Amino acid sequence: MKAIIYGKPSCPYCDKAKRLLTNDPRFDVQYVDLSLPENQQTLNDLKAGGMRTVPQIYVDNVHIGGYRELVEAIAAKY
């Protein structure tokens, strides 16, 4: 499964999400650092869609939510 984590440096929940997913062989993980200038448009798009916090996590193009929702989704369906 393809997992994308949108996050920022010094975000402890971003780090936890990265660890959780990279340690699970079922997931191919991509991390997008929203603090980088080249990701400014992505940040703007996420904010326009209602994002207010990081991480924002998608699995197979389905929005999961943040770290807590990720843990719940893994326990329930993955």
Side-chain angles (χ1 to χ4, degrees):
M1 291 174 275
K2 174 91 172 154
I4 302 175
I5 302 168
Y6 296 96
K8 292 185 177 183
S10 73
C11 164
Y13 289 104
C14 298
D15 293 338
K16 287 180 177 187
K18 283 191 286 187
R19 267 194 308 276
L20 180 64
L21 291 174
T22 55
N23 288 330
D24 189 325
R26 299 173 293 175
F27 294 97
D28 174 27
V29 181
Q30 177 186 357
Y31 179 75
V32 179
D33 183 344
L34 295 173
S35 70
L36 298 175
E38 61 264 26
N39 294 327
Q40 186 63 47
Q41 185 59 52
T42 302
L43 175 61
N44 293 340
D45 293 344
L46 289 168
K47 284 183 176 181
M51 181 200 86
R52 299 288 174 250
T53 62
V54 290
Q56 292 296 312
I57 302 162
Y58 290 76
V59 174
D60 290 337
N61 295 317
V62 175
H63 183 245
I64 301 299
Y67 176 74
R68 186 176 338 150
E69 293 84 6
L70 173 65
V71 171
E72 291 169 1
I74 288 175
K77 21 178 179 177
Y78 299 117

